[in-house]
Amino acid sequence: MDTEQRILVVDDDRHIAELISLYLQKDGYATKEVYDGRQVLVEMEAYQPELILLDLMLPGMDGYQVCAEVRKKSKVPIIMLTAKGETFDKVLGLELGADDYIVKPFEPKELLARVKAVLRRYTSGCEKEEDAQVLSFPDLEINLSNYTVTYHGVNLVFPPKEFELLSFLAQHPNRVFTREQLLDHIWGYEYVGDTRTVDVHVKRIREKLNQEDAWGIRTVWSVGYKFGQK
């Protein structure tokens, strides 16, 4: 494993932050701990992390605000850590651009599995830059090499999970996938949560791509989703 992979650990509880860092360092990651929401934006520039583990309850700026600000500037993967387990909190975090969500308390093995899965997918996406491939549809181009979407001539940048979901469906036009299948393909491990995660990401994609266009993500009632014609 690349020992240079850097993870920013953000938690106002120094004991928890140190414990998480210990787990990650034992697995070969480099870490930096931050205890204040406002400081995250500073460390983003200085530390250049490949992933952020972000607690929600932070002084200065809460995790939701931090996530929203980071997403304005960067596609770096974000895994939210929180004691909150209600569906509303999970959905809000995902809608703001988080890639995953872990509810405290969690097992170290679960944390490491999720970190590895998110980093693996993000890194593999970056490595594809040498092998440019574009999926073309009327008024829509999906560039698999640089994670961009050209829509009606305008270049859009999608967070990693949104792009992976859109591109996966677009690579299998008119094929229907259940939510469970999409969780398995996109998240790459047994997702500890519910299939609402898929619905949230589809909703965010649809907010960017007009469903009145010829091609888009279509709902197949009682089954799942497909990328198909109107």
Side-chain angles (χ1 to χ4, degrees), residues 4 17 20 23 40 48 88 101 115-116 122-123 127 135 139 143 169 193 221 226:
E4 295 302 313
I20 291 173
Y23 293 145
V40 175
Q48 294 290 309
F88 172 80
Y101 192 112
V115 165
K116 289 177 180 178
Y122 181 74
T123 302
E127 290 174 349
L135 305 176
D139 300 316
N143 191 315
L169 288 170
W221 298 109
K226 70 174 183 179

Side-chain angles (χ1 to χ4, degrees), residues 4-8 48-52 76-77 119 122-123:
E4 295 302 313
Q5 286 183 297
R6 299 176 300 278
I7 299 177
L8 197 63
Q48 294 290 309
E50 274 95 1
L51 183 144
I52 301 175
V76 63
L119 279 173
Y122 181 74
T123 302

